[in-house]
Amino acid sequence: MKKVFAIILMSLCLVGCSASTDNLKGAKIVLERASGTVDIASSVRPAIVGISGETDSSSSVGSGVCVTESGHILTNSHVVHDCKDIVLYLADKSTTTADIVYEDTVLDLAILKSHISIPYLPLGSSDDLQVGQDVLAVGTPLSLTLVHSFTKGIISALNRTLKVGSSNGEGYMQNLIQHDASLNPGNSGGPLINSNGEVVGINTLKISSGEGIGFAIPAKSFRSLLSSLATKINYQVPKLGVYGFDNEIASYKGKNDLQRGFYILDVASTSPLKSIGVVSGSVITKINNRDVNNTLDLKDELYRCSAGQRVQVSYFKNGKNYTGILVLD
């Protein structure tokens, strides 16, 4: 059983917005072969941004990375949440503004849309990561005067689970990448990059009571979502209206004997899952005949779909397997 770490992190709600349809086209940055740290840093730098955000009562500083030719920027929700004015600080020392097009405060992920074209980095496969593998973390530690700072480390562990909480209650961040590249306040939202110059994660937090214990959201959490936002006009993020966790935590709490699946702790009264008989204690095992082994799989399959789309869901309840068709909200 993997250890469940306890930390504190703000956790709120999930919202989605439609994609822009402008004609921005940034250049893709591709390393032709595995390179040394100096070459990687020089090549990827134009795709990485510092971020400042302003709310009615406060301001924030963080980091981000452009990952599509149409200017989608990955960052953390806590960097831009409730911000009305967002400024991007580019590698050539110029600035531009951006809008929030997606935000998931539980996962701590946000996607921005730049108002100008920016070179972008491809996503790597977080499924292929190995413990001991070299990675680079890039961000804006402490202040905007330190924008585009690089630190190097290794993958320390995979599929980590963190208990997170706030005044709104406790939840879990799952399937995180643990690494030891140095992170400081302001690094939030910056990319974790492999030796091929690909984004394999988004740095989100560290354990402040230890040294070199940082965590990144893996690329699989947002790969399908980015594809849908970039290619589908007026894409609306679908919602299932459930709260739960994958088999690792369900087994830890003695709630699920299956070796896979997404365990449902609570179903909203408006959830489309209610129409096919899903209740608290059910375990989702497939969406559209694709296996759901954990939370990452659930998000990946869900974000392939759009709001209003009919999907087939297989689930386990009271010792039996069921399958039903529902329409996503």
Side-chain angles (χ1 to χ4, degrees), residues 294-310:
N294 52 38
T295 304
L296 275 182
D297 289 340
L298 178 67
K299 288 181 177 291
D300 190 52
E301 298 303 333
L302 185 63
Y303 294 148
R304 293 173 188 265
C305 306
S306 303
Q309 182 174 332
R310 290 167 60 88

Side-chain angles (χ1 to χ4, degrees), residues 76-283:
N76 286 150
S77 167
H78 74 260
V79 172
V80 296
H81 186 66
D82 282 341
C83 288
K84 297 180 179 179
D85 298 303
I86 299 172
V87 179
L88 307 181
Y89 295 79
L90 311 183
D92 63 2
K93 299 188 183 303
S94 65
T95 62
T96 188
T97 53
D99 299 316
I100 301 173
V101 296
Y102 172 84
E103 186 178 11
D104 181 341
T105 55
V106 176
L107 183 60
D108 196 23
L109 183 73
I111 300 176
L112 312 179
K113 188 71 162 56
S114 169
H115 290 169
I116 66 170
S117 62
I118 298 174
Y120 71 99
L121 292 179
L123 295 183
S125 173
S126 53
D127 289 338
D128 296 335
L129 294 176
Q130 297 182 359
V131 174
Q133 178 178 336
D134 287 342
V135 286
L136 291 176
V138 196
T140 311
L142 303 181
S143 77
L144 288 166
T145 59
L146 300 177
V147 66
H148 296 100
S149 292
F150 287 76
T151 57
K152 184 177 182 179
I154 63 168
I155 301 294
S156 303
L158 298 167
N159 296 315
R160 289 300 200 197
T161 296
L162 302 180
K163 181 187 291 185
V164 297
S166 71
S167 59
N168 296 317
E170 291 185 344
Y172 294 90
M173 295 182 71
Q174 297 177 262
N175 309 115
L176 297 175
I177 303 165
Q178 181 185 336
H179 64 87
D180 69 350
S182 178
L183 298 179
N184 289 285
N187 275 108
S188 294
L192 191 68
I193 295 174
N194 65 14
S195 59
N196 294 320
E198 300 167 328
V199 177
V200 294
I202 294 298
N203 292 310
T204 183
L205 54 89
K206 70 173 185 176
I207 295 180
S208 59
S209 58
E211 293 293 332
I213 309 177
F215 299 91
I217 303 164
K220 189 174 181 179
S221 292
F222 44 75
R223 180 183 295 278
S224 294
L225 174 62
L226 275 169
S227 177
S228 293
L229 281 170
T231 61
K232 298 178 181 179
I233 297 174
N234 296 323
Y235 175 70
Q236 292 292 322
V237 179
K239 302 178 181 67
L240 278 180
V242 294
Y243 168 71
F245 31 69
D246 62 27
N247 180 69
E248 178 187 339
I249 298 175
S251 298
Y252 180 82
K253 290 177 171 289
K255 292 181 177 291
N256 182 20
D257 293 330
L258 297 179
Q259 297 303 306
R260 62 190 181 89
F262 181 82
Y263 178 87
I264 295 176
L265 192 64
D266 190 30
V267 184
S269 59
T270 56
S271 170
L273 287 168
K274 281 187 171 286
S275 68
I276 61 169
V278 174
V279 296
S280 176
S282 300
V283 181

